[in-house]
């Protein structure tokens, strides 16, 4: 089985190598191993600062290699997309998130009476 | 201190002023540390238990003291970790495999049930598996359906496994040390919601024997058996019941296997009523088992139907309100015991 | 239709009984619940009643004969319909203690053996049913106070001490007191004592205990508590309680030998009572925790029934040990014989002033000499000694007898 190490913070490289692997699989030539080197910026869960077991320098170094920033620069350099396109996407996503957050904050806490619903499927659902 | 002296150490911490108070998590670390110093065959593996000190600080400082050779992080592969631990135990080590969240022991169930519990038996006693599987159960702060379970009864169901479920810092240290001197597979189940609770823990060594329940509160009207975090809730409920003249005896079995039936049945003989408070589900759980023991061995002692106060039968939820509703609350315990006593009809 | 009246089984350990006196002869009309004959065992005397209205046709077992449980005793030709369901509670008044307990109709026994409660509409807890059996109360006459009207143990305990003396109604022929019956009783006591000596490897430990505080407690308590209980407080009550409290702290002694050591969960103790027909030792449960007034009332009721030969089997079963107090005689010390089925007997001699060393000087103190005989299969010397020491400690610091826990 062929295997490749790729820069997991390079979206296009991952896309290209993954595409080749998929093609190969579809041709019936079997699986491919892709090792995408990347990094989790934040803690393991909300509330975990994530600095007890790694250094701040390490985190900062990986943040320098922000995959979103790199994709944006590459796309603009290749004139595939403009800065305005990215701004639109950012605005759109920010709005979706804000809506979701407002919805959650405005909603009442779940009522206890729902606790035993959907444990099993029933026709009444 | 000799082992004879240790065996005779008190099963309940003596009460006195100015005693050292530490957390449940620290008590566990201390117990493990003492045993690792005492027994070079003990090593400790798990996810994030090394430099990170454990998700709940349950291994804090061990990596620094004992180094990478004896305290080591593993990949996220519960079955592999557990199988590795069992193999090492067979080869003469005494591993602690920390699964961290009890829920993920499911990933290792084949190793635990099919291998760890059976090897001594099927080898006609020639091999032994001195091995501790450590994990924390229970819901805390909306940990949701995959990180909140309390299914200790799975393990209690299997012959060959011992199961400890400490509810106080004192018991954590005493029981984890006993567990690490046991030559059998021991499933050591702590409670996530208790790790930050504090209590008196002597600095010196002590062991708490397995199979010795602790009577937290004496009473005459109803025997309340509770485990893990429910011990504290049962005690709070007992105080409220006392205001209405209902005297509850609260017992924590501390180990589910071996189980101290005598203490529970003696109490039942006194009170005539049995209520079991368990954060796990009622169906086929420890509450069902204790109810069956009472019905089979002490039917004539019963003055009321046995009461099981357990988690309602639904997965845990992220919703704080719904999850609080699913797990027995102090109010629910009080209410159900009142109706058992015929006080609310 | 002909109905067979058989020898009832009146307790777990009863295997046989002796026919005492036939109260009816063939050809006599008999009414349902009317006594047909008296029977006696090594423990009690009681009547067997007819379970139907009819005519006594045949007597199958003669007076003085001993037969196994279940043996047909008589045939009665029934008049009218024979009901196989239990009669409704005959009397609106709760069954009177002694009377109800001493007479058992064999059909009731059969039904009881078939099923605990054939067709009652009330609910009762297993613990309440056990207590009803112990107290000899017909649970069908009890009002329940538990959830959904369930009868719980408390309902029976509330009833027990207030149960009146045998009712003036339904006068009964006095139990046969022929010398033949007395001889039989003597013989049965003899057999029981022989069985004890033959089968129980017993040993004794004894000590003398300073009872000064016990005496002052007794003097302080005697009058008010006797007034409240309606019966006199005795030293036996205090010793009985002391024995039970010591036992509560020593679960190893709350056990009997049944092929192996069987530990008991409840504390049930016997009290030796001298009667004009020989010694008998009825039992009381929960001696360690009954309120003192109840303990006295029950002890007195039990002793009275023992003297009247009106004990039921439940009064005699289940004890783990016995207290025998001969303090009313000029006996300094003596040794008891353990009842078969039990594992110890505490023998208490006279409470009187004796020389006592206190702070290196000789003083006179009221003391009592205790002798504890123990079944060596159940406990070793050290355990017996520790147990006796605990008993002594309660007597020396007797205020513990006042509270239950």
């Amino acid at each position: 089985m062929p295997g490749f190490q790729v820069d997991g913070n390079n979206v296009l490289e991952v896309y290209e190598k993954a595409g080749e692997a998929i093609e190969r699989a579809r041709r019936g030539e079997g699986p491919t191993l892709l090792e995408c080197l990347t990094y989790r910026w934040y803690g393991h869960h909300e509330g975990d600062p994530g600095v007890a077991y790694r250094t701040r320098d390490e985190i900062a170094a990986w943040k320098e290699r922000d995959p979103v920033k790199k994709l944006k620069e590459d796309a603009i350099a290749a004139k595939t997309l403009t800065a305005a396109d990215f701004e639109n996407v950012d605005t759109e996503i920010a709005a979706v998130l804000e809506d979701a957050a407002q919805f959650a904050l405005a909603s009442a806490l779940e009522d206890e009476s729902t606790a035993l619903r959907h444990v099993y499927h029933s026709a009444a659902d | 201190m000799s082992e004879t002296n240790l065996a005779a150490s008190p099963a309940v911490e003596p009460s006195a002023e100015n005693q050292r108070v530490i957390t449940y998590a620290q008590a566990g670390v201390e117990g493990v540390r003492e045993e690792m110093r005492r027994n070079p065959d003990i090593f400790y593996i798990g996810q994030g238990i090394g430099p990170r000190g454990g998700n709940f600080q349950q291994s804090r400082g061990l990596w620094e003291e004992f180094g990478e050779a004896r305290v080591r992080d593993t990949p996220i592969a519960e079955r592999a970790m557990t199988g590795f631990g069992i193999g090492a135990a067979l080869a003469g080590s005494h591993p602690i495999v920390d699964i961290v969240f009890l829920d993920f022991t499911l990933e290792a169930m084949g190793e635990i049930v099919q291998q760890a519990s059976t090897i001594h038996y099927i080898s006609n006693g020639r091999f032994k598996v001195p091995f501790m599987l450590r994990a924390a159960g229970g819901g805390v702060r909306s940990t949701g359906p995959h990180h909140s379970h309390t299914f200790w009864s799975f393990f209690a169901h299997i012959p060959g496994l011992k199961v400890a479920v400490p509810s106080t810092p004192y018991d954590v240290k005493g029981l984890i040390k006993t567990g690490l001197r046991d030559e059998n597979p021991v499933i050591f189940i702590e409670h996530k919601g208790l790790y930050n609770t504090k209590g008196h823990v002597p600095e010196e060594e002590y062991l708490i024997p397995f199979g010795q329940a602790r009577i937290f509160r004496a009473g005459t009207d109803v025997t309340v058996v509770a485990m893990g975090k429910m011990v504290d809730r049962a005690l709070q409920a007992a105080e409220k019941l006392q205001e209405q003249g209902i005297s509850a005896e609260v017992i924590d079995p501390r180990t589910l296997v071996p189980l101290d039936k005598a203490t529970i049945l003696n109490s039942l003989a006194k009170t005539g009523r049995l209520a079991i408070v368990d954060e796990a589900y009622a169906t086929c759980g420890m509450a069902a088992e204790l109810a069956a023991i009472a019905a089979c061995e002490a039917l004539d002692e019963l003055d009321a139907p046995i009461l099981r106060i357990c988690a309602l039968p639904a997965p845990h939820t992220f919703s704080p309100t719904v999850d609080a509703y699913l797990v027995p609350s102090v109010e629910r315990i009080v209410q159900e015991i009142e109706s058992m006593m015929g006080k609310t009809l | 239709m002909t109905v067979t009246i058989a020898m009832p089984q009146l307790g777990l350990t009863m295997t046989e009984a002796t026919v005492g006196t036939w109260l009816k002869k063939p050809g006599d009309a008999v009414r349902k619940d009317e006594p047909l004959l008296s029977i006696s065992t090594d423990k009690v005397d009681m009547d067997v009643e007819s379970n139907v209205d009819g005519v006594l046709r045949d007597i199958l077992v003669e007076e003085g004969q001993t037969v196994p449980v279940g043996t047909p005793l008589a045939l009665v030709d029934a008049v009218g319909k024979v009901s196989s369901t239990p009669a409704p509670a005959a009397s609106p008044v709760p069954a009177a203690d002694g009377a109800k307990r001493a007479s058992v109709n064999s059909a009731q026994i059969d039904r009881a053996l078939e099923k605990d409660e054939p067709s009652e509409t009330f609910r009762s807890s297993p613990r309440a049913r056990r207590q009803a059996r112990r107290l000899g109360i017909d649970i069908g006459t009890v009002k329940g106070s538990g959830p959904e009207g369930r009868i719980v143990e408390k309902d029976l305990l509330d009833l027990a001490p207030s149960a009146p003396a045998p009712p003036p109604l339904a006068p009964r022929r006095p139990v046969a007191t022929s010398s033949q019956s007395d001889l039989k009783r003597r013989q049965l006591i003899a057999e029981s004592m022989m069985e004890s000596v033959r089968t129980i490897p017993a040993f004794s430990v004894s000590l003398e205990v300073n009872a000064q505080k016990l005496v002052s407690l007794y003097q302080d308590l005697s009058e008010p508590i006797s007034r409240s209980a309606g019966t006199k407080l005795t030293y036996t009550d205090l010793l009985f309680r002391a024995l039970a409290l010591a036992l509560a702290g020593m679960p190893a002694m709350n056990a009997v030998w049944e092929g192996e050591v069987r530990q008991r969960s409840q504390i049930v103790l016997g009290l030796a009572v001298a009667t004009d027909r020989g010694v008998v030792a009825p039992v009381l449960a929960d001696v360690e925790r009954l309120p003192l007034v109840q303990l006295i009332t029950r002890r007195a009721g039990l002793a009275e029934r023992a003297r009247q030969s009106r004990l039921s089997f439940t009064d005699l079963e289940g004890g783990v040990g016995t207290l025998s107090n001969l303090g009313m005689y000029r006996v300094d010390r003596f040794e008891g014989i353990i009842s078969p089925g039990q594992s110890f007997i505490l023998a208490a001699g006279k409470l009187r002033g004796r020389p006592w060393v206190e702070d290196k000087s000789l003083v006179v103190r009221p003391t009592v000499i205790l002798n504890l005989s123990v079944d060596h299969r159940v406990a070793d010397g050290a355990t017996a000694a520790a147990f006796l020491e605990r008993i002594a400690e309660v007597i020396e610091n007797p205020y513990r007898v006042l509270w239950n826990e």
Side-chain angles (χ1 to χ4, degrees):
Chain A
M1 179 171 73
F4 304 94
Q5 204 171 59
V6 298
D7 177 0
N9 281 8
N10 185 334
V11 178
L12 295 177
E13 190 183 330
V14 172
Y15 181 78
E16 189 183 322
K17 285 291 181 190
E20 285 169 16
I22 291 165
E23 279 307 308
R24 186 169 171 275
R26 285 183 176 148
R27 286 195 305 271
E29 292 167 26
T32 306
L33 176 70
L34 287 186
E35 187 185 4
C36 307
L37 301 176
T38 186
Y39 195 76
R40 164 167 60 72
W41 287 4
Y42 300 100
H44 175 61
H45 55 81
E46 200 56 50
D48 171 19
V51 293
Y53 45 94
R54 52 190 191 176
T55 62
R56 290 178 196 276
D57 287 349
E58 183 183 283
I59 297 168
W62 276 94
K63 282 190 175 177
E64 286 298 304
R65 299 173 51 196
D66 180 350
V68 176
K69 188 165 149 243
K70 179 170 172 52
L71 176 67
K72 194 169 160 182
E73 286 165 2
D74 289 353
I76 292 168
K79 299 198 187 310
T80 320
L81 291 165
T82 64
D85 290 333
F86 279 101
E87 266 168 43
N88 287 340
V89 170
D90 286 348
T91 312
E92 201 179 310
I93 290 172
V96 167
L97 292 177
E98 185 58 22
D99 276 359
Q102 288 307 327
F103 172 79
L105 290 170
S107 296
L109 285 169
E110 189 69 19
D111 191 78
E112 294 167 0
S113 64
T114 64
L116 298 179
R117 269 178 58 195
H118 304 309
V119 177
Y120 296 98
H121 170 77
S122 83
D125 296 334
Chain B
M1 188 183 281
S2 78
E3 292 210 17
T4 328
N5 287 339
L6 283 178
S9 51
V12 176
E13 67 267 38
S15 57
E17 302 288 314
N18 305 323
Q19 283 174 325
R20 185 184 61 146
V21 168
I22 60 174
T23 66
Y24 184 97
Q26 287 165 341
V29 172
E30 188 167 289
V32 171
R33 183 190 297 122
E34 285 177 11
E35 290 307 300
M36 288 184 75
R37 285 178 184 166
R38 179 180 175 273
N39 178 359
D41 292 332
I42 298 175
F43 67 84
Y44 194 130
I45 61 171
Q47 295 156 25
I49 55 82
R52 188 172 168 224
N55 195 52
F56 306 112
Q57 302 299 299
Q58 78 275 24
S59 60
R60 184 172 193 160
L62 296 176
W63 180 81
E64 286 79 355
E65 175 170 348
F66 299 102
E68 191 79 11
R70 292 182 67 193
V71 180
R72 185 178 288 235
D73 280 325
T74 61
I76 304 177
E78 284 78 8
R79 182 158 198 162
M81 292 154 61
T82 306
F84 171 78
I86 294 166
L90 286 171
S93 295
H94 196 138
I96 303 168
V97 176
D98 193 338
I99 304 285
V100 186
F101 283 86
L102 183 61
D103 312 71
F104 302 130
T105 55
L106 291 175
E107 310 296 332
M109 217 57 174
E111 297 300 323
I112 300 165
V113 176
Q114 297 284 57
Q115 306 301 343
S117 78
T118 63
I119 288 171
H120 185 66
Y121 185 77
I122 63 178
S123 70
N124 220 7
R126 279 180 294 171
F127 295 117
K128 60 184 182 185
V129 187
F131 156 80
M132 176 176 285
L133 190 94
R134 191 179 184 195
V140 54
R141 290 191 307 174
S142 301
T143 39
H146 305 115
H147 294 75
S148 301
H149 278 292
T150 319
F151 40 57
W152 31 50
S153 64
F154 290 2
F155 303 104
H157 184 65
I158 303 300
L161 302 178
K162 294 189 178 180
V163 185
V165 295
S167 68
T168 65
Y170 181 85
D171 288 349
V172 169
K173 179 175 167 184
L175 289 171
I176 207 165
K177 285 171 66 70
T178 302
L180 287 171
R181 295 188 194 186
D182 200 297
E183 303 276 86
N184 292 284
V186 171
I187 315 296
F188 197 83
I189 305 177
E190 288 154 278
H191 194 292
K192 295 192 277 293
L194 294 176
Y195 274 123
N196 288 324
T197 58
K198 289 180 177 172
H200 164 57
V201 177
E203 278 172 74
E204 62 269 20
E205 274 205 299
Y206 61 94
L207 296 173
I208 297 173
F210 279 17
Q212 206 176 89
R214 175 168 172 186
I215 301 173
F216 271 84
R217 184 185 194 284
T220 53
D221 296 332
V222 54
T223 299
V224 181
V225 180
M227 290 148 273
K229 193 179 173 185
M230 294 299 115
V231 174
D232 181 56
R233 292 200 179 167
L235 286 167
Q236 289 181 47
E239 289 305 316
K240 297 202 166 168
L241 289 164
Q242 190 67 58
E243 290 164 16
Q244 304 172 52
I246 299 171
S247 160
E249 180 146 303
V250 179
I251 298 175
D252 174 5
R254 300 201 286 196
T255 56
L256 305 181
V257 181
L259 181 66
D260 182 357
K261 289 199 289 190
T263 295
I264 296 168
L265 294 180
N266 282 339
S267 172
L268 176 58
K270 184 168 68 163
T271 63
R273 291 177 181 81
L274 177 62
I276 304 127
V277 189
D278 190 359
E279 194 173 338
Y281 303 120
T283 306
C284 301
M286 270 320 288
E289 174 60 22
L290 291 165
I293 288 169
C296 293
E297 299 180 29
L299 184 69
D300 281 343
E301 304 292 357
L302 290 169
D303 211 10
I306 299 161
L307 188 58
R308 285 186 288 167
I309 307 170
C310 298
L312 300 179
H316 286 276
T317 74
F318 287 111
S319 159
T321 44
V322 177
D323 213 48
Y325 174 70
L326 290 173
V327 171
S329 61
V330 174
E331 293 69 30
R332 195 169 121 204
I333 298 167
V334 168
Q335 200 177 29
E336 296 204 23
I337 290 177
E338 278 172 356
S339 80
M340 173 195 223
M341 303 297 297
K343 291 252 177 181
T344 59
L345 286 172
Chain C
M1 175 176 180
T2 303
V3 175
T4 305
I5 308 291
M7 180 63 79
Q9 173 151 20
L10 304 173
L12 290 176
T13 59
M14 170 172 164
T15 54
E16 59 175 30
T18 305
V19 171
T21 312
W22 279 99
L23 308 173
K24 296 283 177 185
K25 53 184 191 299
D28 281 358
V30 295
R31 299 199 60 82
K32 184 168 180 303
D33 297 336
E34 193 177 3
L36 289 175
L37 72 156
S38 66
I39 59 169
S40 59
T41 72
D42 56 338
K43 291 171 175 164
V44 291
D45 298 323
M46 57 185 69
D47 294 342
V48 177
E49 300 168 342
S50 173
N51 55 345
V52 291
D53 291 339
V55 174
L56 179 61
R57 190 168 86 181
D58 242 336
I59 286 176
L60 306 174
V61 179
E62 290 308 314
E63 290 181 4
Q65 267 185 273
T66 301
V67 294
V69 166
T71 307
L73 300 173
L75 299 176
V76 175
D77 285 329
V79 178
K81 200 169 122 230
V82 180
S83 164
S84 64
T85 55
S91 145
V93 189
D97 204 20
K100 191 71 193 180
R101 305 171 74 164
S103 61
V104 183
N105 130 357
S106 61
Q108 278 177 353
I109 299 289
D110 287 348
R111 285 195 300 271
L113 290 175
E114 278 164 23
K115 196 163 179 259
D116 234 8
E117 307 162 301
S119 60
E120 288 93 336
T121 50
F122 61 88
R123 291 180 170 195
S124 56
S125 72
R127 192 182 180 99
R129 292 197 288 276
R130 180 180 63 184
Q131 197 56 259
R133 288 195 295 274
R134 283 203 178 132
L135 297 172
I137 293 174
D138 177 358
I139 201 161
T141 63
V142 178
K143 189 164 157 37
S145 69
E148 296 163 56
R150 175 181 269 102
I151 298 163
V152 296
E153 187 186 32
K154 183 176 175 295
D155 301 328
L156 290 143
L157 294 179
D158 287 349
L159 246 140
S162 63
L169 296 173
R172 250 163 231 293
R173 270 185 61 142
V175 172
T177 53
S178 71
S179 62
Q180 192 195 356
S181 163
D182 287 352
L183 285 175
K184 178 72 181 168
R185 171 62 57 87
R186 200 62 243 165
Q187 194 180 343
L188 293 167
I189 292 173
E191 277 168 20
S192 176
M193 293 300 106
M194 281 307 293
E195 187 192 341
S196 175
V197 171
R198 231 178 14 248
T199 61
I200 302 181
F203 67 97
S204 283
V205 288
S206 67
L207 54 71
E208 181 176 0
V209 54
N210 179 350
Q212 184 158 39
K213 284 190 189 167
L214 190 77
V215 170
S216 81
L217 177 70
Y218 175 80
Q219 285 166 350
D220 289 348
L221 277 181
S222 179
E223 204 219 307
I225 208 166
S226 300
R227 203 177 327 119
S228 163
T231 183
K232 200 168 166 301
L233 174 73
T234 64
Y235 278 107
T236 302
D237 293 319
L238 299 177
L239 291 173
F240 205 31
R241 170 78 102 195
L243 173 61
L245 285 171
L247 187 57
M250 223 80 208
M253 284 304 305
N254 192 19
V256 292
W257 182 261
E258 289 171 358
E260 59 181 354
V261 175
R262 286 271 170 85
Q263 203 158 319
R264 296 276 174 80
S265 53
Q266 198 181 16
I267 289 185
V268 182
L269 288 169
L271 182 65
V273 178
T275 77
D276 52 14
R277 301 185 57 200
V279 66
V280 61
V283 301
L284 255 185
D286 305 325
V287 182
E288 86 286 12
R289 63 188 179 122
L290 279 177
L292 204 52
V293 170
Q294 267 188 46
L295 172 63
I296 299 165
T297 323
R298 288 199 197 170
R299 186 269 306 148
L302 210 53
E304 186 51 32
R305 287 208 305 283
R307 288 187 200 102
Q308 295 174 358
S309 289
R310 302 215 71 93
L311 291 170
S312 75
F313 268 86
T314 46
D315 289 329
L316 293 160
E317 282 182 348
V320 69
T322 292
L323 169 67
S324 180
N325 181 9
L326 290 182
M328 56 295 279
Y329 300 98
R330 276 186 58 184
V331 169
D332 281 327
R333 72 168 79 208
F334 71 105
E335 207 171 310
I337 288 186
I338 300 167
S339 288
Q342 300 191 349
S343 56
F344 61 84
I345 183 164
L346 180 71
K350 188 169 188 64
L351 175 66
R352 66 173 180 83
R354 292 187 181 88
W356 186 262
V357 176
E358 209 167 77
D359 298 331
K360 292 185 181 168
S361 58
L362 196 57
V363 292
V364 174
R365 291 279 178 261
T367 73
V368 62
I369 299 175
L370 300 176
N371 185 92
L372 178 73
S373 303
V374 172
D375 183 342
H376 212 321
R377 296 169 302 180
V378 175
D380 299 334
T383 312
F387 181 39
L388 186 59
E389 218 166 73
R390 270 176 187 267
I391 299 169
E393 278 162 17
V394 182
I395 292 171
E396 284 163 356
N397 300 288
Y399 296 94
R400 273 190 62 201
V401 308
L402 296 174
W403 75 84
N404 329 320
E405 228 327 293

